Amino acid sequence: MNKFLSDQIEKTLGGKFPLPDKFQALLKLVSDTYDQFEANRKNLELRLSEKQEQTSESKYRSLFEEMADGVYKSTNEGKFVDVNPALVKMLGYDSKEELLSIDIKTKLYFEASERDSAVQQDNTNGLAVFRLRKKDGSEIWFEERGSYVSDGNGSTIYHEGILRDVTKRIHTEFELMRSQQETADYKKALNQSLIVSIKDKNGVFTFANSNFCNISKFTVEELVGKDQSIINSENHTKDFVDAIDTTISSGKVWRGEEKHKTKDGNFYWVDSAIVPFLDESGKPYQFLTISIDVTERKLADEALLANELKFRSMIEHNEDVISMFDAQGNFTYVSPAITKEFDFTFEECLMLNAIQIIHPEDQPMMKNFLLEVMQIQSIPFKCPVFRIMKKDGSHVWVEGTLTNLLQNDGVKAIVANFKDITKRREYEEQLKTRNSELLKSNMELDKFVYSVSHDLRAPLSSMLGVIGISEEDTKEPETKEHLAMLKASIKKLDLSISDILDYSRNSRLEVNKENIDLRQMLDKITDNLKYKNRNQVEIKVELNDNAQFVSDKNRVNIILNNLISNAITYQDPKNSDPLVNVKVDMTDTETNIVVKDNGIGISKELQEKIFEMFFRGSESSDGSGLGLYIVKESVEKLKGKIAVKSIPGKGSEFSILIPNN
Ligand code: ADP
């Protein structure tokens, strides 16, 4: 019997009691029925709850399976326990099983540190952003909502979470960050290297950066509130300025080069872009000017241009014909002189070939010459004289240079520079004939002078003989005096004639070099001059002959004779100690002879004249005035030099330097 029922019966009837069999059987039926019912109810209850459980599990499953976000459950050791298909796909794995098999720490994280920071973030706010490595190695960024499931003691059993792919967003954010950084960098760089200013819509400065101030020499305070006129160089035309205004006020960017004036009045050049900023109605409300300093280049350009203009005008005004032709001889440039000189027009010339205008007889020579010029670059070659055909068929003689220039573009170019020398050639020819005529007549004259002088000496010496006899014959003092005067003037005449003979010898005769014994020569000269040396002038000779003197004996003799003779003649009669010093220094290459006296000397003004023909220092001089002239001429014939130093009242010093060979 059912225990619940028997308990109830016992409570109601009290104690053990015998129940009628009929009642017993009924009771048993009721009790069995109840048991049956109870069993059924329990069964139903069980089935119901089973059913309920089944529905929520499948709901969760399908959600889990079909969710777009990744869902996972993982162990503390770094293994997935469960993952949904979305996560498998996101991470690029082929199957759930494959993903479950990997080690999360090493396979999914790029760096251990990244995992640590992801875990930390996760602990603080339950929302983490981190990246994982996909199977192909690329990165995928996740935003995670996750939680730790722990046991009663607080240690983690497993970890579960939902992962959302935020790669696109993160990349965009990174991109933005990078471009923001870049913009900031650019801004900084621009401001550092560029000249920047801002003007309002009326053209008044509202901003200028430090570069602007540096180049213009104005301070920001001086600039702000002023308009463009503060830096106006007055270099640009009104059209230029108007064009800028039109461009920028119509909202377009203007680009160009401007010349400005600094505070201290100097100029600078900038390459600028003026950018108008437009309001909603499309009208400019401010203008940003960004410039770079191009002063140096501009100045160089200006100098180049000025130079070019200078050279151009030099070339165009040159009387020489300056032309340029290519390697084939085709003219690429001819200076205007070509029209004047050869009758060709500029245009006609450009149609011609350089060789074509050369006289046919001179063409082979010039072709060869051109080939030579082509070998070497940038050196002007002086070309032989040749003929250029004029338009009318006549020719002119020219001379000039050819230069092979390799131009910037690598093309060979010949620069030819020619001068018409036809007239000069005619003159030269005339000069040549006149010269030879002159030479001939000169020689004849010399010959004449020589023979006359020579012929004159004989009668003079017979005259002297006759005077000698007469002097002995007469006792008349007056006659004696007259005869003495006659003798003196005849001697003077003879001396002059002998000078003339020396002169004519020097100009007529070739230089004849031989070994000279200078000591012997000097002895002879001083000996011969004894008759003149009445004042007993002491003649001292100092000779350093370390080499053999080789020169023209006659000329050296004439030179020394004249110098020593003068040194005796122009002594001061009052001088008690008259002296002539001859000093010779010889080397293999030259001989230096100095003739020094302590005589009357020569004033500065006269020093310049004493070497002139027939110059005599004073009326009292009884010479011919030819002596020093002959000395100078002779020294020059020997390719030597002569110099004089003299102090009036103290003495004179003549020094000559003659090449010794
Ligand atoms: P000359 O002696 O025949 O007058 P020179 O040609 O020899 O002609 O000399 C020209 C002039 O130079 C002389 O008249 C004289 O005034 C001056 N002169 C030449 N040599 C000397 C000298 N050694 N001392 C002073 N004057 C001199």
Side-chain angles (χ1 to χ4, degrees):
M1 192 196 291
N2 181 286
K3 182 147 185 334
F4 172 73
L5 269 183
S6 57
D7 286 350
Q8 289 299 319
I9 292 167
E10 202 177 294
K11 237 189 203 168
T12 320
L13 303 179
K16 289 243 186 237
F17 60 90
L19 280 180
D21 283 350
K22 237 187 163 177
F23 191 69
Q24 283 270 357
L26 186 70
L27 210 55
K28 186 172 181 321
L29 184 71
V30 169
S31 167
D32 284 351
T33 310
Y34 180 82
D35 281 347
Q36 187 69 39
F37 167 76
E38 191 59 28
N40 279 347
R41 192 191 59 85
K42 271 203 174 140
N43 197 19
L44 192 68
E45 220 168 48
L46 191 76
R47 294 235 327 256
L48 254 177
S49 84
E50 253 174 25
K51 183 103 187 168
Q52 228 168 15
E53 225 165 80
Q54 244 175 28
T55 0
S56 85
E57 167 75 6
S58 76
K59 243 193 203 158
Y60 166 72
R61 246 308 124 197
S62 78
L63 203 65
F64 178 80
E65 299 289 330
E66 278 149 35
M67 232 167 108
D69 290 339
V71 183
Y72 74 93
K73 189 188 266 185
S74 68
T75 64
N76 225 11
E77 288 71 42
K79 283 266 182 210
F80 285 118
V81 181
D82 199 1
V83 291
N84 71 342
L87 188 62
V88 176
K89 204 175 149 209
M90 280 178 198
L91 289 171
Y93 283 86
D94 297 330
S95 65
K96 180 175 173 176
E97 291 66 38
E98 192 188 4
L99 188 55
L100 291 186
S101 73
I102 63 154
D103 176 45
I104 295 174
K105 279 184 212 164
T106 55
K107 280 274 178 304
L108 285 189
Y109 286 97
F110 285 87
E111 309 258 345
S113 62
E114 289 184 38
R115 177 177 181 265
D116 297 343
S117 68
V119 170
Q120 260 173 35
Q121 243 183 331
D122 197 27
N123 280 339
T124 49
N125 56 17
L127 185 73
V129 174
F130 56 89
R131 61 173 187 165
L132 291 180
R133 178 164 43 202
K134 286 168 67 166
K135 191 183 170 190
D136 64 5
S138 61
E139 64 175 24
I140 176 164
W141 283 86
F142 287 116
E143 190 179 78
E144 181 193 50
R145 257 165 233 283
S147 57
Y148 287 94
V149 178
S150 22
D151 61 13
N153 304 326
S155 53
T156 309
I157 312 167
Y158 60 84
H159 187 215
E160 59 184 8
I162 300 172
L163 293 168
R164 176 160 294 170
D165 180 0
V166 291
T167 312
K168 236 189 208 137
R169 199 191 81 206
I170 293 293
H171 281 179
T172 317
E173 267 170 24
F174 278 173
E175 204 46 56
L176 199 70
M177 255 157 69
R178 191 158 47 223
S179 78
Q180 266 168 357
Q181 182 57 43
E182 248 169 41
T183 316
D185 287 349
Y186 278 141
K187 242 183 176 166
K188 205 170 145 197
L190 288 190
N191 208 25
Q192 261 168 23
S193 61
L194 294 179
I195 300 159
V196 182
S197 67
I198 298 174
K199 285 194 213 124
D200 67 14
K201 61 172 185 277
N202 300 317
V204 173
F205 282 106
T206 56
F207 168 79
N209 76 343
S210 60
N211 288 328
F212 195 108
C213 296
N214 288 344
I215 196 167
S216 70
K217 306 271 189 331
F218 285 105
T219 63
V220 182
E221 293 73 31
E222 285 169 330
L223 283 164
V224 168
K226 307 280 169 33
D227 65 14
Q228 183 73 6
S229 62
I230 193 169
I231 51 165
N232 190 1
S233 65
E234 271 150 33
N235 177 72
H236 300 297
T237 60
K238 194 179 173 296
D239 285 352
F240 180 86
V241 178
D242 287 350
I244 301 179
D245 280 348
T246 320
T247 309
I248 58 175
S249 55
S250 71
K252 291 198 203 85
V253 174
W254 182 86
R255 265 289 325 245
E257 288 177 345
E258 301 173 290
K259 186 180 184 176
H260 293 329
K261 196 171 73 183
T262 65
K263 189 182 174 184
D264 50 20
N266 289 316
F267 296 105
Y268 65 94
W269 278 93
V270 284
D271 184 348
S272 298
I274 307 178
V275 186
F277 283 40
L278 307 179
D279 60 18
E280 306 80 48
S281 62
K283 289 219 174 79
Y285 64 91
Q286 70 172 17
F287 303 97
L288 169 74
T289 306
I290 302 169
S291 323
I292 53 168
D293 180 5
V294 291
T295 311
E296 223 160 271
R297 174 173 64 71
K298 269 309 228 199
L299 291 182
D301 282 356
E302 276 177 3
L304 205 70
L305 190 72
N307 250 350
E308 208 179 280
L309 287 176
K310 204 163 71 193
F311 285 128
R312 178 167 282 275
S313 100
M314 258 162 72
I315 286 175
E316 295 198 336
H317 291 100
N318 205 314
E319 285 187 8
D320 292 5
V321 175
I322 296 160
S323 63
M324 199 185 244
F325 48 86
D326 62 18
Q328 283 70 46
N330 303 312
F331 283 112
T332 52
Y333 174 80
V334 278
S335 69
I338 192 119
T339 321
K340 220 177 87 202
E341 294 292 328
F342 310 132
D343 301 341
F344 293 114
T345 65
F346 181 77
E347 292 72 23
E348 278 170 337
C349 234
L350 291 184
M351 304 293 289
L352 286 170
N353 188 286
I355 298 293
Q356 256 180 312
I357 63 167
I358 296 173
H359 191 286
E361 283 173 24
D362 295 339
Q363 280 185 13
M365 170 186 81
M366 287 309 287
K367 274 183 193 162
N368 281 339
F369 182 70
L370 202 60
L371 285 178
E372 261 179 61
V373 173
M374 297 287 240
Q375 303 301 315
I376 298 171
Q377 253 175 48
S378 306
I379 297 176
F381 279 79
K382 200 169 157 46
C383 63
V385 175
F386 67 100
R387 285 161 287 180
I388 285 185
M389 303 303 295
K390 286 171 74 163
K391 203 174 159 188
D392 64 3
S394 65
H395 67 257
V396 288
W397 287 93
V398 295
E399 77 171 10
T401 55
L402 288 184
T403 316
N404 168 15
L405 282 186
L406 194 70
Q407 294 188 300
N408 290 344
D409 50 11
V411 175
K412 270 193 181 170
I414 307 291
V415 175
N417 183 353
F418 289 110
K419 191 197 257 126
D420 180 355
I421 56 154
T422 315
K423 280 228 169 71
R424 203 184 80 197
R425 261 179 73 94
E426 277 167 20
Y427 287 142
E428 275 171 4
E429 290 298 324
Q430 279 173 12
L431 211 67
K432 245 190 226 161
T433 32
R434 205 173 295 164
N435 225 4
S436 64
E437 278 167 16
L438 258 174
L439 222 67
K440 206 174 136 219
S441 67
N442 241 359
M443 255 158 68
E444 279 164 359
L445 197 68
D446 275 344
K447 241 189 235 161
F448 171 74
V449 168
Y450 184 77
S451 61
V452 169
S453 312
H454 194 264
D455 290 355
L456 273 176
R457 287 193 87 180
L460 282 183
S461 53
S462 27
M463 271 167 89
L464 280 175
V466 174
I467 288 167
I469 295 167
S470 306
E471 270 178 328
E472 275 169 25
D473 279 358
T474 184
K475 300 235 162 19
E476 288 256 346
E478 218 170 293
T479 314
K480 265 193 185 309
E481 198 187 318
H482 288 156
L483 284 174
M485 278 165 69
L486 200 61
K487 205 163 97 183
S489 45
I490 288 174
K491 273 193 173 156
K492 190 182 163 187
L493 186 60
D494 187 51
L495 215 69
S496 296
I497 289 172
S498 112
D499 278 351
I500 292 171
L501 282 171
D502 281 345
Y503 160 74
S504 106
R505 264 191 219 110
N506 181 53
S507 58
R508 266 186 316 117
L509 300 179
E510 292 295 314
V511 173
N512 178 27
K513 296 205 167 174
E514 55 188 315
N515 288 347
I516 300 175
D517 184 344
L518 250 188
R519 189 173 295 276
Q520 195 188 42
M521 185 185 275
L522 284 165
D523 283 349
K524 216 166 173 183
I525 290 170
T526 47
D527 207 46
N528 280 342
L529 286 172
K530 255 188 196 146
Y531 79 95
K532 222 182 178 187
N533 192 356
R534 293 208 195 90
N535 295 349
Q536 296 300 312
V537 179
E538 192 194 341
I539 302 174
K540 244 173 79 182
V541 175
E542 231 179 290
L543 193 70
N544 301 319
D545 49 353
N546 312 321
Q548 176 62 54
F549 186 31
V550 181
S551 195
D552 187 313
K553 204 174 196 167
N554 281 328
R555 288 188 169 91
V556 174
N557 193 51
I558 289 170
I559 293 164
L560 290 176
N561 200 36
N562 271 294
L563 291 179
I564 297 170
S565 168
N566 278 349
I568 295 170
T569 309
Y570 298 106
Q571 276 293 341
D572 184 352
K574 282 169 259 155
N575 193 346
S576 57
D577 197 12
L579 191 77
V580 174
N581 201 333
V582 183
K583 193 165 176 274
V584 182
D585 275 301
M586 227 181 265
T587 69
D588 285 339
T589 52
E590 56 190 19
T591 297
N592 185 22
I593 304 172
V594 178
V595 179
K596 191 177 172 183
D597 63 58
N598 56 355
I600 58 171
I602 312 159
S603 69
K604 199 95 209 143
E605 307 88 72
L606 293 193
Q607 280 175 30
E608 289 163 18
K609 296 187 171 154
I610 54 174
F611 296 103
E612 287 172 13
M613 198 180 216
F614 300 123
F615 178 80
R616 284 183 304 189
S618 72
E619 285 306 314
S620 63
S621 159
D622 62 354
S624 62
L626 270 174
L628 286 181
Y629 175 71
I630 295 168
V631 167
K632 196 187 110 209
E633 290 286 300
S634 301
V635 169
E636 276 169 10
K637 272 266 170 168
L638 297 177
K639 299 203 160 47
K641 279 182 204 137
I642 182 162
V644 62
K645 278 195 260 177
S646 183
I647 300 170
K650 281 253 162 87
S652 311
E653 182 184 303
F654 287 84
S655 60
I656 55 174
L657 197 68
I658 305 171
N660 183 15
N661 49 53

